[in-house]
């Protein structure tokens, strides 16, 4: 079962990493559109 | 207006043409996102719950087969996201529509992540069932090539300072790489590979119903997640690309960010 949890853990890490990337991209885009450097 | 467009019914033209405009796409995607994120959370919880805790162990592979509930959706999404990327690349090159290239760019990080997850979860499945993490088998090698194509696309599009040149260069690479997709999909039929053939096809499934439901629900959850992530990324790319446009300046979230 440890292999299964390793795969599920990798999946969870991927989901969290993508959420963080999307949030950073959104903040950068809003700042750029709002005229901030 | 080209002859072919002028001959179409006005309603059809409105429906398709409308969402190719960045402001209409931005608004529509914004309305869809809460539904997609909610569907992703519910479907993933149901699918993984069924697959990890309720479905019985396999009579040959024991518990290790449960990696299926992560591995198979990841493989599907990695493949289909690349096909979608190539579709938007072709549309962008032919029609020179702004939004097509942004959709192509928005798909790449999600496709990369799922291709990497597919390879990693496959290695974790291979070790207990095949006795090895990796073999240079047709299916595994073509999936590795898909990951490299994604990484090459990301490197190429971010290396060029001029975004329009980056769009076109990336689109050409995406289209060239599409030849890998049939090789990847049919590799288990064309060659004698260690990787097993498909368990689910249009003719039916060769796995138990509870396992099938777990797989279908977790796949639907991954699809909803991928769609939400791609639309969310595309909205940010639209904002960046259109930042000097009047409609962007009038958005309440932009006005708030400017304060």
């Amino acid at each position: 079962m440890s292999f299964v949890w390793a795969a599920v853990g990798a999946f969870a890490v991927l989901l969290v990493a993508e959420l963080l990337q999307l949030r950073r991209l959104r903040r950068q885009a809003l700042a750029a559109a709002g005229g901030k450097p | 207006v080209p002859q072919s467009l002028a001959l179409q019914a006005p309603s059809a033209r409105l429906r398709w043409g409308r969402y190719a405009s960045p402001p209409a796409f931005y608004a529509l995607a914004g309305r869809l996102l809460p539904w997609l994120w909610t569907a992703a959370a519910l479907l993933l919880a149901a699918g993984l719950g069924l697959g990890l805790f309720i479905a019985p162990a396999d009579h040959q592979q024991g518990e290790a087969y449960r990696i299926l509930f992560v591995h198979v959706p990841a493989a599907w999404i990695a493949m289909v996201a690349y096909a979608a990327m190539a579709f938007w690349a072709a549309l962008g090159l032919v029609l020179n529509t702004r939004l097509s290239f942004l959709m192509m760019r928005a798909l790449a990080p999600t496709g990369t992540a799922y291709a990497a997850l597919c390879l990693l979860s496959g290695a974790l499945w291979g070790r207990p069932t095949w006795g090895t993490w990796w073999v240079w088998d047709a299916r595994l090698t073509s999936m590795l090539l898909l990951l490299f194509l994604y990484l090459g696309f990301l490197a190429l599009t971010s290396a060029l300072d001029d975004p329009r040149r980056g769009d076109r260069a990336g689109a050409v690479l995406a289209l060239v790489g599409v030849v890998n997709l049939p090789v990847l999909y049919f590799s288990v039929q064309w060659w004698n590979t260690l990787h097993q053939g498909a368990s689910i096809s249009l003719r039916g499934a060769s796995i138990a119903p509870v396992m099938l439901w777990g797989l279908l629900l977790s796949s639907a959850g991954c699809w909803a997640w991928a769609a939400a992530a791609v639309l969310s990324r595309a909205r940010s790319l639209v904002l960046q690309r259109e930042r000097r446009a009047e409609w962007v300046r009038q958005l309440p979230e932009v006005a708030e960010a400017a304060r």
Side-chain angles (χ1 to χ4, degrees):
Chain A
M1 203 65 186
S2 57
F3 286 100
V4 177
W5 290 119
V8 174
F11 183 42
V13 168
L14 178 147
L15 296 185
V16 172
E18 188 160 43
L19 277 183
L20 292 175
Q21 193 262 347
L22 290 171
R23 196 176 67 162
R24 191 173 50 117
L25 191 67
R26 172 96 177 144
R27 281 184 179 170
Q28 284 174 347
L30 282 173
K36 288 187 180 170
Chain B
V1 179
Q3 190 78 13
S4 56
L5 279 182
L7 288 173
Q8 284 177 8
S11 59
R13 272 170 56 200
L14 274 179
R15 239 180 287 142
W16 289 106
R18 198 169 156 227
Y19 294 109
S21 97
F25 166 80
Y26 186 88
L28 174 72
R31 280 201 299 277
L32 287 176
L33 278 173
W35 296 98
L36 286 170
W37 287 123
T38 309
L42 294 176
L43 289 164
L44 275 175
L48 291 179
L50 202 59
L52 295 175
F53 303 111
I54 296 175
D58 183 70
H59 80 294
Q60 281 181 327
Q61 298 188 22
E63 302 289 348
Y65 94 93
R66 295 185 202 276
I67 293 175
L68 163 107
F69 301 107
V70 172
H71 179 76
V72 172
W76 280 344
I77 290 173
M79 273 196 292
V80 175
Y82 196 92
M85 227 170 80
F87 167 78
W88 289 115
L91 212 61
L93 287 176
V94 173
L95 301 179
N96 206 20
T97 40
R98 286 176 294 173
L99 202 56
S100 304
F101 289 129
L102 296 183
M103 285 303 290
M104 170 188 80
R105 282 179 183 255
L107 280 155
T110 298
T112 311
Y114 278 104
L117 178 69
C118 173
L119 287 169
L120 183 65
S121 58
L124 287 166
W125 197 354
R127 182 66 195 156
T129 51
W130 296 345
T132 180
W133 301 100
W134 180 263
V135 280
W136 292 100
D137 161 301
R139 172 56 70 86
L140 279 68
T141 309
S142 51
M143 183 48 97
L144 184 65
L145 184 61
L146 185 72
L147 176 66
F148 289 158
L149 282 166
Y150 274 125
L151 293 174
F153 177 92
L154 289 175
L156 183 64
T157 48
S158 56
L160 293 168
D161 285 335
D162 177 3
R164 307 285 288 185
R165 280 186 67 200
D167 285 346
R168 305 189 81 81
V172 171
L173 177 63
L175 283 175
V176 170
V178 92
V179 292
N180 183 46
L181 287 185
V183 177
L184 173 56
Y185 186 76
F186 293 109
S187 53
V188 288
Q189 294 172 26
W190 290 350
W191 292 285
N192 188 14
T193 66
L194 190 55
H195 193 287
Q196 70 190 65
S199 301
I200 299 171
S201 72
L202 292 176
R203 275 164 287 159
S206 58
I207 59 176
V210 63
M211 297 175 185
L212 180 67
W213 273 107
L215 182 57
L216 291 178
L217 287 171
S218 64
S219 298
C222 285
W223 280 115
W225 180 284
V230 169
L231 286 181
S232 169
R233 194 174 292 112
R235 283 181 100 222
S236 297
L237 294 175
V238 165
L239 272 189
Q240 273 180 346
R241 202 63 78 87
E242 302 272 317
R243 61 185 177 275
R244 291 185 192 88
E246 192 51 39
W247 72 268
V248 169
R249 291 181 188 282
Q250 287 175 356
L251 289 171
E253 57 266 41
V254 171
E256 196 179 326
R259 245 183 267 133

